[in-house]
Amino acid sequence: MDWFFKFICSKQMVPQSLRDACAYPDSLFALPQDDLLRMVYQEFTNDLDRLKRAYSIRSCQQTSFTTQSPSYILYQADYDEVNRTLVGFLALRWIHLGEYENFVGSQPPNVRLNREPFEWIREFYSKVIVDADALYTLITSIVINDLGKDPQLASDYQNITGVDIADLNHDAILLKAFTVGLVQSLEKLPVHYKDDLVRGIELGATFNFGQLAQAENVPACLSGLLSMKDTPRSFNFRFMEQLLDISGAAGHMDCTCAKKLIQPIFDSYRNVYDACQSVIAGTSNLREGYDLILSRRAQFLHEKGFPLLHVNDLHHRALVRLLCMGNVTTRDKADMFKDTWDSLETSVRDKLEYALNLDGVSGRPAVQATYMPAFLSQIGDKESLTCAWRYLARLMTLEESIDLSVLVIERSMLSVMKQYVETGKFDKDPTVLESIDVPEGVVALTTAID
């Protein structure tokens, strides 16, 4: 603990915890990385231990770290979600210190985040972090964000309430767990900052910034933004945390930088920020806010030579959603998506066009295909994409009668990703999807959100 003694002496203070050290952020973030991570672990031991059990999505490629990962430093073993979370925290350190080169690190040169957006993030961070409690609150938000991925959290909730919530998305599980006192770290926060995070968690249970960036969710999911009108600080905390979440998203593969927050992804999140602000301000309705994401992707690809698609045309709009879901940023891949779309069987294309244009209203609920973007973004050939879209058409079709209060049904691709993508079975034979049943649906949003 020599570093801690030097830290104390250098500031003539006696901080007993990370929370105390947040009053001196320059000194805090100047600590050696290993010591800084251990300080976080001391503060959030139970939360990080939960993340050891959390599920994650991997490609079939094996990860080989060239340096010790954050979880290895703490546990002498690699845990994906611990690494993702702590790389998100390290991204906060790089932002605070203005370490642009460390932040972009090994990002591919052709899509590397430019310095101007990095400075935009730093300016936004400075607006959010106005005092020591705000910094501690943001760090808390980073650490607890993915606790719902720990299956034990849903089990603990069921033990207390008798209610099984295991099929809910991880944000909704986190919210439920908080209501019965299972997220103890929130209780350490000042009341006003705790309220900010809870409002953000409530928003996250039905609305995810990344899902909007990828057009994975539907317009009805933006309804939670309406509650943010009078609480801008709550929204800012949530948005900042989400930028850090995407910064650490590849932390289980590369823990040396903010690998995933490349320029195209940042542009997507800026578009999300603008869309959210327009809905919160009341200058756009839910559909208009959502379509801002689609129209900007269409314009982005048009500037690369791809034909301009118009979101007021339902045929075009469906294709733009697929381009967003596939994270398509190049002309070649956009052409492949369009060729595949044009060559789909009419019955499949019609089903997709109808489903992809549903907003989520009473009597006509929409299906949210969770983790479908993670699936589509890994596909690089027309045959595989055709099989994926045939499966998506089945997944997004609702045959059963639905209660009129239901607006959004969520069907998760997680099990398909784990059983067929991570194992390489899909790559070997894309038609394997034809024999797979679609996952069960879970009600994600109703007219009366509880």
Side-chain angles (χ1 to χ4, degrees):
M1 299 293 287
D2 289 344
W3 63 267
F4 200 63
F5 177 76
K6 293 176 182 177
F7 178 52
I8 294 170
C9 293
S10 68
K11 287 296 176 182
Q12 300 299 308
M13 61 180 184
V14 187
Q16 299 298 316
S17 66
L18 174 68
R19 182 170 188 167
D20 294 330
C22 283
Y24 307 89
D26 292 342
S27 296
L28 171 65
F29 288 119
L31 290 171
Q33 178 173 297
D34 289 12
D35 297 332
L36 182 60
L37 291 172
R38 292 188 182 99
M39 197 175 195
V40 173
Y41 178 71
Q42 289 170 2
E43 189 75 21
F44 298 102
T45 304
N46 292 336
D47 300 310
L48 291 171
D49 285 350
R50 276 197 181 277
L51 290 174
K52 290 164 63 178
R53 295 187 294 263
Y55 62 80
S56 66
I57 297 294
R58 277 180 169 254
S59 69
C60 56
Q61 298 178 340
Q62 294 295 316
T63 300
S64 179
F65 288 111
T66 57
T67 185
Q68 285 188 347
S69 71
S71 72
Y72 194 89
I73 291 167
L74 300 179
Y75 297 106
Q76 290 71 58
D78 286 318
Y79 297 101
D80 285 0
E81 287 303 314
V82 175
N83 284 327
R84 286 161 60 103
T85 294
L86 290 178
V87 172
F89 169 74
L90 292 176
L92 177 64
R93 179 197 197 198
W94 300 323
I95 290 167
H96 179 89
L97 297 176
E99 295 181 345
Y100 170 74
E101 295 298 337
N102 283 337
F103 191 91
V104 298
S106 61
Q107 291 181 358
N110 61 320
V111 291
R112 180 176 295 152
L113 184 74
N114 297 325
R115 184 173 285 276
E116 183 179 355
F118 178 75
E119 293 302 328
W120 184 93
I121 295 172
R122 293 196 74 212
E123 183 178 354
F124 188 81
Y125 162 77
S126 69
K127 292 177 181 178
V128 176
I129 306 306
V130 296
D131 57 31
D133 285 337
L135 178 56
Y136 183 77
T137 298
L138 180 59
I139 295 171
T140 301
S141 183
I142 295 169
V143 173
I144 70 171
N145 180 57
D146 285 330
L147 290 184
K149 294 181 179 180
D150 169 23
Q152 187 62 46
L153 191 64
S155 297
D156 291 343
Y157 179 88
Q158 186 173 11
N159 290 338
I160 294 171
T161 66
V163 179
D164 184 1
I165 60 171
D167 289 334
L168 297 180
N169 67 65
H170 69 269
D171 291 309
I173 291 173
L174 178 62
L175 177 60
K176 293 284 189 182
F178 160 73
T179 63
V180 295
L182 287 172
V183 189
Q184 289 296 311
S185 293
L186 282 172
E187 305 304 327
K188 301 177 184 178
L189 302 175
V191 173
H192 57 293
Y193 280 133
K194 174 185 172 183
D195 290 345
D196 285 329
L197 284 204
V198 171
R199 279 191 285 267
I201 293 170
E202 290 171 343
L203 175 65
T206 58
F207 171 73
N208 180 289
F209 291 94
Q211 289 175 348
L212 178 56
Q214 301 170 125
E216 178 181 353
N217 58 13
V218 298
C221 295
L222 278 64
S223 60
L225 291 169
L226 301 176
S227 66
M228 295 281 110
K229 184 175 182 179
D230 298 321
T231 57
R233 192 174 62 191
S234 300
F235 176 84
N236 289 342
F237 265 118
R238 187 69 182 179
F239 186 74
M240 187 70 218
E241 189 279 323
Q242 290 292 291
L243 286 176
L244 295 168
D245 182 64
I246 194 66
S247 297
H252 60 302
M253 297 182 291
D254 185 342
C255 59
T256 63
C257 67
K259 187 79 169 184
K260 282 288 188 180
L261 193 50
I262 55 176
Q263 187 64 43
I265 299 298
F266 173 81
D267 291 339
S268 295
Y269 272 72
R270 271 303 311 270
N271 292 338
V272 166
Y273 179 82
D274 292 342
C276 290
Q277 290 298 315
S278 69
V279 171
I280 293 171
T283 56
S284 298
N285 62 32
L286 303 185
R287 174 84 171 213
E288 291 167 343
Y290 189 93
D291 282 0
L292 176 65
I293 303 300
L294 303 182
S295 60
R296 288 190 178 177
R297 179 63 62 107
Q299 182 61 37
F300 173 82
L301 290 172
H302 180 59
E303 291 172 358
K304 294 184 176 296
F306 188 70
L308 182 62
L309 300 175
H310 302 280
V311 298
N312 57 348
D313 179 302
L314 297 185
H315 186 77
H316 283 194
R317 187 176 183 278
L319 178 55
V320 179
R321 272 201 70 187
L322 292 171
L323 291 165
C324 287
M325 291 173 75
N327 192 29
V328 177
T329 58
T330 65
R331 170 69 188 274
D332 287 347
K333 193 164 186 178
D335 286 339
M336 190 262 286
F337 267 55
K338 186 177 186 304
D339 289 346
T340 305
W341 176 252
D342 290 340
S343 63
L344 277 176
E345 303 94 324
T346 301
S347 60
V348 174
R349 189 169 58 244
D350 288 348
K351 286 182 179 180
L352 280 174
E353 182 175 320
Y354 175 78
L356 290 166
N357 280 295
L358 290 174
D359 287 358
V361 298
S362 179
R364 286 201 305 163
V367 173
Q368 178 173 304
T370 309
Y371 291 107
M372 181 56 75
F375 185 22
L376 294 181
S377 64
Q378 298 186 42
I379 295 176
D381 64 89
K382 187 174 177 179
E383 179 188 3
S384 298
L385 191 60
T386 299
C387 293
W389 284 354
R390 287 173 181 159
Y391 185 78
L392 180 61
R394 288 197 288 132
L395 185 145
M396 297 191 75
T397 299
L398 293 173
E399 305 289 353
E400 66 273 19
S401 175
I402 299 295
D403 188 291
L404 291 179
S405 68
V406 175
L407 303 181
V408 180
I409 298 289
E410 183 176 312
R411 285 178 170 168
S412 175
M413 286 285 294
L414 182 62
S415 62
V416 174
M417 292 285 291
K418 287 194 164 297
Q419 294 178 42
Y420 298 96
V421 177
E422 289 185 1
T423 60
K425 292 179 181 178
F426 175 76
D427 285 342
K428 293 177 182 177
D429 180 16
T431 63
V432 69
L433 294 182
E434 296 174 6
S435 60
I436 302 173
D437 291 333
V438 298
E440 292 292 326
V442 177
V443 175
L445 185 65
T446 66
T447 53
I449 305 172
D450 54 29

